[in-house]
Amino acid sequence: INIASRCSGFIKKRFAGQLATSLDDADLYQQFVSQKPAITSAFEQREYASAMRQIMQLADLANQYINDKQPWVIAKQDGQDELLHKVCTQGINLFRFLLVMLKPVLPAMSEQAETFLNESPLNWDSADQPLLNHTIKPFKPLMTRIDEQQTAALLDDANQGA
């Protein structure tokens, strides 16, 4: 969720809510897509904790990408609008991928994300291709930060099929 909040403001203010026509790092997006079969398998085998761990590893990669690229720094540099646009579009798409994967366990949050992304409904196949040259709506926080104890409780609930 932090990924979307860190990128959406730039997309809204600097690019009228319009995502770029290409990603900054298409290979990174494909790395996410390549994990979809394993996540799918974990859900199908009712290994929810495994699916969540895999999704969280991807979330860590997405956060690392944003931390490394630092769109807040790029935004202050003259002549870097194209890079900023692509980096923020990448961030929004990594967020979108993660929300598609989380939809089976967080359907209400996914519905809120659909509103933000101006794309409904998000479905499993939505994750295969990035969302490009598309207008998003203003970002509204989807949830508050959860701590490690809350994460452990969510994983326990997922393991019990709750």
Side-chain angles (χ1 to χ4, degrees):
I1 293 165
N2 190 34
I3 300 161
S5 69
R6 294 170 101 184
C7 296
S8 63
F10 295 116
I11 295 289
K12 206 68 187 153
K13 292 175 190 168
R14 302 279 283 270
F15 309 106
Q18 186 78 14
L19 296 174
T21 58
S22 63
L23 299 173
D24 175 59
D25 188 344
D27 289 341
L28 177 61
Y29 191 81
Q30 287 309 308
Q31 183 179 346
F32 276 53
V33 172
S34 74
Q35 296 303 307
K36 190 174 133 185
I39 295 167
T40 302
S41 177
F43 276 123
E44 288 173 346
Q45 295 175 25
R46 296 185 180 177
E47 295 174 1
Y48 304 116
S50 174
M52 296 304 288
R53 277 192 299 276
Q54 292 173 63
I55 294 166
M56 292 309 297
Q57 287 175 341
L58 293 176
D60 289 343
L61 281 176
N63 278 311
Q64 186 63 52
Y65 169 82
I66 296 301
N67 286 335
D68 290 348
K69 291 293 182 170
Q70 300 181 332
W72 53 92
V73 173
I74 296 170
K76 296 177 183 176
Q77 299 171 349
D78 289 336
Q80 294 299 312
D81 280 354
E82 182 179 352
L83 177 60
L84 177 65
H85 201 189
K86 287 182 176 185
V87 166
C88 290
T89 296
Q90 180 91 34
I92 296 295
N93 272 281
L94 297 177
F95 163 80
R96 176 177 166 264
F97 182 92
L98 294 168
L99 256 292
V100 169
M101 297 297 105
L102 289 168
K103 190 169 183 175
V105 293
L106 297 172
M109 184 186 299
S110 294
E111 285 180 27
Q112 292 174 310
E114 289 170 351
T115 300
F116 159 64
L117 293 168
N118 199 22
E119 179 185 24
S120 184
L122 285 174
N123 60 52
W124 214 246
D125 293 333
S126 300
D128 293 339
Q129 296 295 321
L131 189 62
L132 302 171
N133 197 27
H134 177 84
T135 303
I136 60 172
K137 295 183 179 180
F139 180 78
K140 294 179 184 172
L142 304 176
M143 90 177 330
T144 57
R145 184 178 294 270
I146 60 173
D147 62 31
E148 286 185 37
Q149 208 169 26
Q150 290 168 309
T151 302
L154 286 171
L155 289 174
D156 286 343
D157 287 349
N159 275 334
Q160 295 171 12

